[in-house]
Amino acid sequence: TQAPPPPPAPETQLDEGINADELQDKTFAPIRWVVPGLIVEGLTLLAGKPKRGKSWLALNCGLAVAGGGLALGHVACEEGDVLALMLEDNQRRLQDRLRQLEPNTAWPKRLRLQVDWPRLGAGALEALEAWVQAAANPRLILIDVLARVRATADPRKSPYADDYGALEGLHKFASKHRLAVVAIHHCRKAKADEDAFDEISCTTGLTGAADSALVLKRGEGVTDFLYGRGRDLPEFEKAVRFDKTRGLWQLLGDADAFRGAQTEKSVLDVLADATEPLSIKEVVAAVGGNYDAVKQRLYEMLRGNLIRRVERGRYAPA
């Protein structure tokens, strides 16, 4: 059968489109990872509560990409040009931060730092375009914070439409150039029990316009958790730790595995200190946490010969 004619040309210039049979055989370049496993090409929203270390995390990634080094202490990055819009800082404060992060090495020339930038709708995208054209290998743009480049809210639009429109231009820009744009935003004070991404301070228009979202959440003790998911970013939850002295974030591994290892250590310590075998309830009371999760961990430790069952429901060190 003959293919239908293409639709008439619109008044505004649109993508030329593609027929399904052509799309079926089309070959695309692989997705570009800027920080492998964490930051992928496209627009990423990085959110967290105030003073959680979001700027330190972004700057750490920027240094790793610009210098072809390690992000979060473990993730090897391909070297490329980085533009960091650090709009809540000044050059003196940035110098202090970089001295903390990299006290003994030369700082990469491919990291461009800006403390001032026009707003979206008032020259921001045009200035970003100029940087891309001048850079040899543009890979990453950091925006700290989104509020400093976001256009003034339009009272004629709904909150959803205004949020979506705030990121629409950045989304198209990142897609066009196949680089990563990371915009830092805040989380609301209220906790979200089920979905960490519900804590991002916005309507779903903001998260809907972004390709990916990362959320920093406080954990227990000195351990925090980084959640991520997106169109090209498989959902993950990582355990991370912030060294305030150096300003460095360290990736500890998958959150579930990390929690399991921590629980396992706590159980072994509790059983070693006990004067007699303990029941599951007594172990849970001593180590804390979810009853079912601790029970499952005890079962796995028993199978691994890390502990022994003295009698029904009571455990002791192996």
Side-chain angles (χ1 to χ4, degrees), residues 56-71:
W56 288 104
L57 177 61
L59 200 52
N60 174 235
C61 290
L63 280 166
V65 174
L70 298 177

Side-chain angles (χ1 to χ4, degrees), residues 89 240 283:
D89 286 307
V240 292
V283 173

Side-chain angles (χ1 to χ4, degrees), residues 31-291:
I31 292 294
R32 298 179 72 189
W33 286 95
V34 177
V35 180
L38 300 177
I39 300 175
V40 68
E41 66 175 86
L43 176 60
T44 295
L45 200 63
L46 170 59
K49 287 185 169 58
K51 310 305 180 185
R52 291 305 308 141
K54 301 183 296 297
S55 298
W56 288 104
L57 177 61
L59 200 52
N60 174 235
C61 290
L63 280 166
V65 174
L70 298 177
L72 282 73
H74 296 282
V75 186
C77 299
E78 180 183 336
E79 184 178 333
D81 295 292
V82 178
L83 174 64
L85 308 184
M86 312 302 289
L87 306 179
E88 291 190 318
D89 286 307
N90 53 46
Q91 289 187 6
R92 178 194 56 77
R93 195 178 302 124
L94 283 174
Q95 185 186 64
D96 290 342
R97 289 196 174 202
L98 289 172
R99 282 175 174 166
Q100 277 186 259
L101 287 165
E102 296 288 354
N104 301 314
T105 59
W107 301 341
K109 185 177 181 179
R110 303 188 84 158
L111 174 60
R112 179 70 179 180
L113 301 157
Q114 297 280 164
V115 297
D116 191 27
W117 203 257
R119 289 186 177 271
L120 294 166
L125 291 176
E126 292 80 1
L128 291 176
E129 185 69 40
W131 175 78
V132 166
Q133 297 305 320
N137 180 25
R139 291 187 61 80
L140 176 62
I141 295 173
L142 305 171
I143 302 176
D144 186 13
V145 290
L146 175 62
R148 288 295 182 97
V149 298
R150 181 172 177 169
T152 305
D154 187 344
R156 298 168 298 177
K157 294 182 178 179
S158 69
Y160 175 92
D162 197 61
D163 277 346
Y164 193 94
L167 291 186
E168 191 172 14
L170 285 173
H171 173 264
K172 291 180 178 178
F173 175 85
S175 297
K176 172 186 174 184
H177 294 291
R178 298 201 62 203
L179 49 71
V181 176
V182 178
I184 295 178
H185 192 53
H186 295 305
C187 281
R188 55 174 60 97
K189 292 182 179 180
K191 271 191 174 183
D193 294 328
E194 295 186 4
D195 193 341
F197 301 95
D198 289 339
E199 294 188 12
I200 299 176
S201 181
C202 63
T203 69
T204 54
L206 212 60
T207 50
D211 293 296
S212 306
L214 303 173
V215 177
L216 266 174
K217 286 194 68 173
R218 183 186 296 277
E220 297 180 2
V222 295
T223 304
D224 290 336
F225 295 96
L226 179 65
Y227 300 78
R229 72 166 175 240
R231 297 184 179 101
D232 296 307
L233 180 69
E235 187 165 359
F236 67 78
E237 181 186 4
K238 303 287 187 183
V240 292
R241 182 170 295 158
F242 185 50
D243 179 353
K244 292 184 178 180
T245 303
R246 288 287 313 280
L248 286 173
W249 281 96
Q250 182 182 13
L251 181 65
L252 304 178
D254 289 335
D256 286 343
F258 180 82
R259 290 190 184 101
Q262 294 296 101
T263 300
E264 191 172 283
K265 181 180 183 303
S266 298
V267 168
L268 289 173
D269 289 343
V270 165
L271 293 180
D273 291 340
T275 57
E276 59 182 5
L278 300 180
S279 68
I280 297 176
K281 286 186 177 180
E282 289 170 331
V283 173
V284 172
V287 304
N290 177 272
Y291 178 89

Side-chain angles (χ1 to χ4, degrees), residues 282-302:
E282 289 170 331
V283 173
V284 172
V287 304
N290 177 272
Y291 178 89
D292 290 334
V294 175
K295 181 180 178 180
Q296 178 64 28
R297 180 56 54 178
L298 283 168
Y299 175 70
E300 293 171 359
M301 293 172 70
L302 185 65

